[in-house]
Amino acid sequence: MAGLEHILREHAFFAACPEDQIALVAGCARNHRFDPGQYLFREGDPANEFFLIRHGKVALEIAAPAQSPIVISTLGEGEIVGASWLLPPYRWTSDARAVELVRAVGIDAACLRGKCEADHHLGYEMMKRFAPILVKRLNATRLQILNVYGKR
Amino acid sequence: MPLLTAAAQIDPFVPQLYKVAHVRRELSDVVTLEIKPSQGSRPSYAPGQFNMLYAFGIGEIAISISGDGTDSTGFVHTVRDVGAVSRAIAALDIGATLGVRGPFGTEWPVTAAEGSDILIIAGGLGLAPLRPAITHVLANRARYGRVAILFGCRHPEDILFHDQLAAWRGRLDIAVEVTVDHADSNWHGHVGVVPALIPRVSFSPHDTVALVCGPEIMMRFTANALRDAGVASNQIYLSMERNMKCAIGLCGHCQFGPTFVCKDGPVMRFDRIERLLTLREI
């Protein structure tokens, strides 16, 4: 557990997070390794766990019939994969595939949601950390769909 | 002809005659032309400046100089076939003649940035006006701190100067990151917008100069992301684009608030134009 606490403390997502809250989150954490091509999760599956990438690159994809999956974005070291665990119905809305060898820490969603319900300070802290990421990704998506490099 | 040349030296409205010496197709709709003066030598230029290229009988457009500095006898321009004039210029063959006025405009602050970290951020064809700056920085690498080149485009097949990006990436003394907006799973690089690359490279925000070129919306998002990362607005430079005609600040076609992009730009400091970038009336 001490090892996981150390890993969480070093991860960008938990920068300057209070120690007692890191300890609470670490209680829901476990290490993962994903080989290239392996899926962290699939669209429609229960969002039971989200991931903090330590090394490697993950592609968020939407599967399309009769063509290669469409990559929405790639995420790398220091970033978070998965937000669907936060809100009902707790199901993934895309696939997440390891593009290269990925080492990550997985956080058990039900475990963390339970701790957030029991300790609203922890819940608020998690929301404060997730909300800017979600807003940043929303803004990036807006820029992405503008097709700014197209001919005018 | 000597009379024309002499007149042109004192009259910025008179184009000089240049011939196309080499054509390289970069993308399906983008070519790079090497042009050389029909007489005499070409004027010197600074990274970031542009020329007015004249397709006889069709019109004139402003195109940034995109040379990598290896040829001192001519200019290099990378042109996207997007309108009548650019289509005519992009279609020129070796030996064809065109008119050139310039160079005009402000330059990337590559000398003032010595001693600092440099972030060079390009979107799409915006890599072309930055190539002279990149070449300068790499040729004088020891004068700079950390150097990173971040490039974004629409699809993997739209990557401009692909071979050169690969060569830059092969150097051990700079960071090069490429991202695309859209890709399928055969692409193993980054997918996402170019501002998202900023946190992925190392630099000292308080001692960094950022040079940004691309579509205006991309530059706005990028400048905001740079500021979020701690880079001061007066250390961020954008290359602006407007409809230029005279290129010397007389006609007003490229007026941008109180400035003229041809004369006060194209390279402009973000803190001086930030307010203008969000004004709908401009």
Side-chain angles (χ1 to χ4, degrees), chain A residues 9-81:
Chain A
R9 200 177 300 118
E10 295 294 308
H11 197 276
F13 180 74
F14 285 107
C17 187
E19 286 295 323
D20 57 331
Q21 294 186 344
I22 295 240
L24 284 171
V25 177
C28 302
R30 62 175 174 148
N31 270 311
H32 281 281
R33 173 203 153 108
F34 298 97
D35 290 322
Q38 193 177 350
Y39 283 83
L40 284 69
F41 51 77
R42 294 276 200 171
E43 180 181 348
D45 286 350
N48 292 331
E49 194 174 21
F50 70 95
F51 302 92
L52 291 74
I53 307 176
R54 298 173 59 202
H55 300 288
K57 188 190 295 174
V58 173
L60 299 183
E61 299 176 342
I62 300 284
Q67 67 178 81
S68 295
I70 298 157
V71 181
I72 308 159
S73 71
T74 50
L75 301 167
E77 184 177 328
E79 295 187 291
I80 291 281
V81 182

Side-chain angles (χ1 to χ4, degrees), chain B residues 110-111 113-116 118 136-137 140-147:
Chain B
V110 286
T111 304
E114 288 180 3
S116 300
I118 294 221
H136 178 93
V137 168
N140 300 279
R141 181 65 188 85
R143 297 183 192 168
Y144 300 92
R146 284 168 287 193
V147 176

Side-chain angles (χ1 to χ4, degrees), chain B residues 45 65-70 75-77 128 131-133 135:
Chain B
Y45 72 91
I65 297 165
S66 64
D68 58 10
T70 55
F75 288 118
V76 176
H77 289 282
R131 187 161 69 166
T135 305

Side-chain angles (χ1 to χ4, degrees), chain B residues 105-140:
Chain B
T106 55
E107 58 197 80
W108 295 113
V110 286
T111 304
E114 288 180 3
S116 300
D117 292 349
I118 294 221
L119 282 180
I120 295 170
I121 307 177
L125 202 58
L127 185 57
L130 279 165
R131 187 161 69 166
I134 294 170
T135 305
H136 178 93
V137 168
L138 297 184
N140 300 279

